[in-house]
Amino acid sequence: MHLALHLAILWLLFAVLVSATDLYKVLELSRHASEQDIRKAYKRLSKQYHPDKNTDPGAEEKFVDIAHAYEVLSDSTKRQIYDRHGEEGLKAHEGGQQHHANPFDIFSNFFGGTFNTQQQVRRGQTVIIEFEVSLADMYTGANIDFTMRKKILCDHCRGSGAASDGDIHTCSGCGGSGVKTFKQQIFPGMFAANTVNMVIQKQCPHCKGEKVVEHMQQYTLELKPGTPEGFDVVFDGEGDESPDWEAGDVVLRVRSRKEKGAWRRKESSLYWRETIGVDQALLGFQRNITHLDGHVIEIDRPGVTQPGYVQTIKGEGMPLHQTDGFGDLFIEYNVVLPVELHSDIRQKLVGAFYGSGHHDRDEL
C-alpha cells in the first residue's frame, strides 16, 4: 500500500513539475541533439536519478522531469511542436491538456523491464586511451574537441537485428523464452552449455542483422588548469554499445606532448633552459621569457651567472590542480663560448685576467 501511494505521488508530481522547464537543459543537451544523443542522455540520467537508486533530496522530481523531457524529445512530431511553440504548443496539439505517460512506464519500456539496482549488470569493456595535449593547454585549461569511432545500437532496429518487430518470431525450440539452452558433451563426464537465439525472419537492412553499426562520435575533453600528468578523464558509458550489455566507460589518460627545446614539467614545477653568451654570463643581463599563457617574465641578472646555474622563480610554475596556488619555475642557464677570438679581444682578455705585463703564449 505504501509503495502504491509513493508511486501515485510521483505520478502527480510528473504532471505538476513539467510546466516551463527547458526540456533540452533537463537532458543536458543542445537543441541540435540527435536521436542517439537523446537516448544516451536519458539512459544515463534516468539511472542516475531513479528513486530506487538515488535517495538525495530532489532526485525524484529530477527523475520525473527527465522522463517528460525524453517523452517529448524522442517523439519527432512532439519535438517539432515543442521547438516551435514550446509546452503551450504541445498542450494545444493534445486538445488543451497534455497527457503525460507514467515516468516508471517510460523507464521500464526503455530498459525492457530489466533494470534492477540490486543485480549485477553486465558491462562492456573499459577502454583506456593515451591522449596527448600541449603543455600550454594543461597550464591554462582548455576544451578540446575530438572524435572517436565506436559501435552504437542500430537506430532502425534498436538492437534487435530484425527489419521490424513482426520479423521476430518465437522459436518453437525455446518455447518463447528467447534462447534455448542445450548440453554438448566435450568428453565423458564434461558438458558445455550452448544457446540458440530467437528466430529472425528478415534482417535489418541498416545493420545487416549485426544489431550495431559503426559511428563517429564527437566529444569534448574539458581540461582544468594544472591537470596532472596521467590524469584520467572518464566518459561514463561511452564504450561500444550492445543489446547484450551496458556500455563500458572510455577513459582518456591525459599527458603533455613531448616537444623539443621547450618547457618541461615535473609535477607542479616548470623547467626552462635559457642560453646566454659569455659576456652576459660575466657582466649580467636583462631578458624577457614568454610564459605558456603568454604573460612575460622579466629576468634581471646583474652579476656573474655560472654555467649550469639554476634560478628559482616562486609562483611561476604549474597551477596546482583544483586550487588557487602555483608551483615554481626553475631556469637553467647554458653559457655558450665563442668559437674563436679576434687578436685584439684576446689581448684585452689577457690583460684583464693576468695583467698588462703578461705575455700571451700565442706571441711566444
Side-chain angles (χ1 to χ4, degrees):
M1 182 69 180
H2 178 71
L3 178 60
L5 179 61
H6 183 71
L7 294 178
I9 292 173
L10 275 180
W11 198 357
L12 286 173
L13 283 171
F14 184 63
V16 173
L17 295 175
V18 295
S19 53
T21 308
D22 187 327
L23 302 186
Y24 288 97
K25 288 184 178 179
V26 170
L27 294 182
E28 301 176 3
L29 296 170
S30 73
R31 289 185 171 267
H32 304 292
S34 65
E35 291 183 15
Q36 186 68 26
D37 293 334
I38 293 169
R39 284 182 56 81
K40 281 167 46 180
Y42 177 75
K43 179 180 180 180
R44 174 175 58 86
L45 294 171
S46 62
K47 289 192 295 182
Q48 180 180 346
Y49 291 99
H50 193 285
D52 289 349
K53 184 177 181 180
N54 192 329
T55 57
D56 293 341
E60 293 181 357
E61 291 85 350
K62 185 74 172 175
F63 178 74
V64 167
D65 284 343
I66 291 166
H68 175 61
Y70 177 72
E71 178 191 3
V72 173
L73 299 182
S74 63
D75 185 304
S76 59
T77 301
K78 289 183 179 180
R79 182 179 179 181
Q80 287 180 4
I81 295 172
Y82 175 77
D83 287 346
R84 293 174 183 173
H85 309 291
E87 294 272 12
E88 291 302 318
L90 286 173
K91 187 182 294 186
H93 174 71
E94 297 178 358
Q97 185 175 2
Q98 283 185 262
H99 302 282
H100 305 298
N102 187 319
F104 292 97
D105 289 343
I106 295 174
F107 187 88
S108 180
N109 291 336
F110 186 92
F111 289 97
T114 60
F115 182 80
N116 186 336
T117 57
Q118 303 302 319
Q119 73 180 40
Q120 289 288 341
V121 179
R122 185 184 174 197
R123 283 181 64 88
Q125 182 180 10
T126 295
V127 179
I128 299 177
I129 301 173
E130 297 287 339
F131 196 89
E132 290 190 341
V133 300
S134 70
L135 185 55
D137 284 338
M138 298 183 82
Y139 181 89
T140 60
N143 290 334
I144 302 173
D145 294 329
F146 68 98
T147 56
M148 183 177 66
R149 184 182 298 276
K150 58 183 287 188
K151 293 180 179 179
I152 63 172
L153 292 180
C154 175
D155 283 338
H156 181 78
C157 67
R158 298 291 178 89
S160 71
S164 66
D165 292 342
D167 292 308
I168 304 175
H169 296 275
T170 301
C171 173
S172 59
C174 70
S177 65
V179 295
K180 176 183 176 182
T181 303
F182 62 94
K183 290 182 178 180
Q184 179 180 7
Q185 185 171 352
I186 301 175
F187 55 82
M190 178 65 71
F191 294 86
N194 295 278
T195 59
V196 176
N197 292 329
M198 64 184 69
V199 177
I200 296 177
Q201 184 174 353
K202 184 179 179 181
Q203 290 184 343
C204 171
H206 292 262
C207 66
K208 312 301 181 187
E210 295 293 326
K211 304 180 182 179
V212 293
V213 293
E214 293 283 342
H215 177 69
M216 292 297 293
Q217 182 70 38
Q218 183 169 0
Y219 299 93
T220 300
L221 170 63
E222 297 182 5
L223 290 181
K224 301 295 184 183
T227 298
E229 295 285 344
F231 185 74
D232 287 346
V233 180
V234 180
F235 290 80
D236 182 50
E238 292 297 335
D240 286 338
E241 297 180 3
S242 169
D244 301 323
W245 63 69
E246 183 178 324
D249 301 334
V250 173
V251 179
L252 295 192
R253 187 154 292 165
V254 182
R255 301 186 188 279
S256 60
R257 191 179 301 113
K258 302 300 180 185
E259 298 177 4
K260 232 179 180 183
W263 296 84
R264 292 179 294 116
R265 175 190 187 180
K266 185 176 181 182
E267 298 178 352
S268 63
S269 300
L270 282 175
Y271 295 83
W272 177 261
R273 191 168 188 178
E274 186 71 11
T275 299
I276 59 176
V278 67
D279 56 332
Q280 295 168 319
L282 293 173
L283 304 176
F285 62 93
Q286 291 180 331
R287 186 167 292 187
N288 292 334
I289 297 176
T290 303
H291 210 301
L292 289 165
D293 64 346
H295 82 270
V296 175
I297 302 172
E298 296 181 355
I299 305 298
D300 186 2
R301 298 230 12 112
V304 174
T305 301
Q306 298 288 346
Y309 172 73
V310 178
Q311 179 181 2
T312 302
I313 302 181
K314 296 289 186 180
E316 287 289 357
M318 289 294 293
L320 302 180
H321 191 228
Q322 297 181 335
T323 70
D324 295 328
F326 284 81
D328 298 332
L329 168 62
F330 298 90
I331 302 176
E332 179 185 358
Y333 291 101
N334 177 43
V335 179
V336 177
L337 300 177
V339 177
E340 60 181 359
L341 290 175
H342 294 294
S343 59
D344 58 336
I345 296 178
R346 184 181 183 91
Q347 287 295 331
K348 291 178 181 178
L349 289 175
V350 169
F353 288 122
Y354 305 116
S356 58
H358 185 84
H359 294 283
D360 187 359
R361 66 179 184 178
D362 283 357
E363 296 177 350
L364 299 178

